[in-house]
Amino acid sequence: MNGMKVYIEFFVADNVIVTYLTASLAYAFVGLKTRRLRSAAVSVAGTLASVFYPFWIMPTPLIALSKVVIGIALSVVLFAGLRNIAFGTLCFFASTALLGGATLAAECMVRGDLGLALSSPSGLPYFVPSAIAIAVYIPARVITAAARKMRAESAFICSASVTVGGVTARVRGYFDTGSGLEENGVPIAVIKLVSFVRLFGADALIASHGKKRVCGVGGVQTELILVKPQEFLLYFDKKRNKHSDVILGVSVGGFRRNEDMLLPVSMLGGANA
């Protein structure tokens, strides 16, 4: 009896951990912070169901179908009133496929049979299922967060056809929501020196209209070389806007983003031609 008690305790602990991580990852897929109370409730409910899996005397397809029904019910608990339940259910099953699938694959290796892996008590050492789930959960969360960030930032990416010194070039830009740089009321688009020279040539700097010192990240002072383009056509949100009043601020130090140019939010309003 004592041996059985230890087995049940560790079995329950493994299932609670794996199910909680599955719920948390599903919230990440949807774009929500983990609802701890709901995740805990789902962990308990899912674990209670898993305790009875070994006693289900059914063909493997029916066992799999039953688990799908339980998964849908758990998804309702997780996402009711928060997100579209159908989408939340898909995310929950995707999370289950990653975490539970990795554990199931290990079970199949031990059992040598999918039916036994689905219906029999775990053949893995205690807390190995939890370790497998954590090993998949951490990179999945990191990748999901990075993908969501890239998707959000893509809404601010643009391009511009810029003419300086008779040379026209296509410049990759990004709207910096924290920038309001202006010179006498004219917006300043900050462009990297290396990008400016590559696109327009070093001689284009001769026609500069002065310099401007600005405060960068952390209060660091940086100097911009001001250049007035002959033409500035902005392509953003499937529209083309002609800006007649724009100044290029050529930055020697550059900035961290991969784009060539940072545009101030004042240019989001459209054409000023």
Side-chain angles (χ1 to χ4, degrees):
M1 288 294 292
N2 289 336
M4 183 62 179
K5 181 179 179 181
V6 172
Y7 163 74
I8 289 295
E9 288 176 348
F10 283 114
F11 174 81
V12 168
D14 261 327
N15 274 271
V16 167
I17 293 171
V18 173
T19 308
Y20 187 91
L21 292 175
T22 301
S24 179
L25 187 57
Y27 277 125
F29 286 162
V30 171
L32 294 173
K33 290 184 178 179
T34 300
R35 270 35 177 198
R36 295 179 180 177
L37 205 56
R38 295 194 186 208
S39 297
V42 163
S43 298
V44 172
T47 299
L48 289 174
S50 67
V51 168
F52 293 98
Y53 286 159
F55 303 102
W56 291 7
I57 311 300
M58 292 187 294
T60 299
L62 287 181
I63 293 177
L65 179 61
S66 300
K67 290 191 174 186
V68 169
V69 173
I70 292 173
I72 293 173
L74 296 179
S75 299
V76 172
V77 175
L78 288 175
F79 297 104
L82 298 177
R83 279 289 190 274
N84 179 277
I85 293 178
F87 179 63
T89 300
L90 289 176
C91 291
F92 182 71
F93 277 104
S95 176
T96 302
L98 283 175
L99 275 61
T103 305
L104 181 60
E107 290 278 6
C108 287
M109 291 178 64
V110 172
R111 296 288 182 181
D113 182 83
L114 176 60
L116 288 175
L118 287 170
S119 59
S120 302
S122 176
L124 298 175
Y126 299 134
F127 293 116
V128 168
S130 298
I132 293 173
I134 291 172
V136 176
Y137 171 83
I138 293 175
R141 279 298 297 255
V142 172
I143 293 171
T144 300
R148 296 191 69 85
K149 182 180 179 181
M150 287 179 61
R151 182 180 178 184
E153 289 185 342
S154 66
F156 296 94
I157 293 176
C158 62
S159 67
S161 176
V162 183
T163 302
V164 176
V167 177
T168 300
R170 195 72 168 229
V171 186
R172 297 173 301 144
Y174 180 83
F175 278 102
D176 182 3
T177 56
S179 173
L181 282 178
E182 292 184 345
E183 177 71 6
N184 298 324
V186 179
I188 297 176
V190 179
I191 183 171
K192 298 175 182 177
L193 174 62
V194 290
S195 298
F196 185 90
V197 172
R198 171 173 54 84
L199 296 170
F200 306 108
D203 291 343
L205 291 171
I206 299 175
S208 67
H209 290 253
K211 297 181 180 180
K212 182 180 181 69
R213 295 194 66 82
V214 296
C215 186
V217 178
V220 178
Q221 293 287 323
T222 185
E223 191 171 68
L224 302 178
I225 303 171
L226 304 181
V227 177
K228 186 72 171 68
Q230 282 84 52
E231 187 176 56
F232 194 101
L233 295 177
L234 177 64
Y235 296 86
F236 178 69
D237 195 25
K238 298 180 181 180
K239 298 178 181 178
R240 189 185 82 161
N241 298 312
K242 182 178 180 181
H243 289 263
S244 59
D245 291 327
V246 180
I247 295 176
L248 297 180
V250 183
S251 172
V252 176
F255 42 85
R256 292 182 179 179
R257 293 199 60 87
N258 293 326
E259 288 79 18
D260 302 304
M261 181 172 56
L262 293 180
L263 286 78
V265 290
S266 59
M267 295 182 67
L268 277 172
N272 62 7

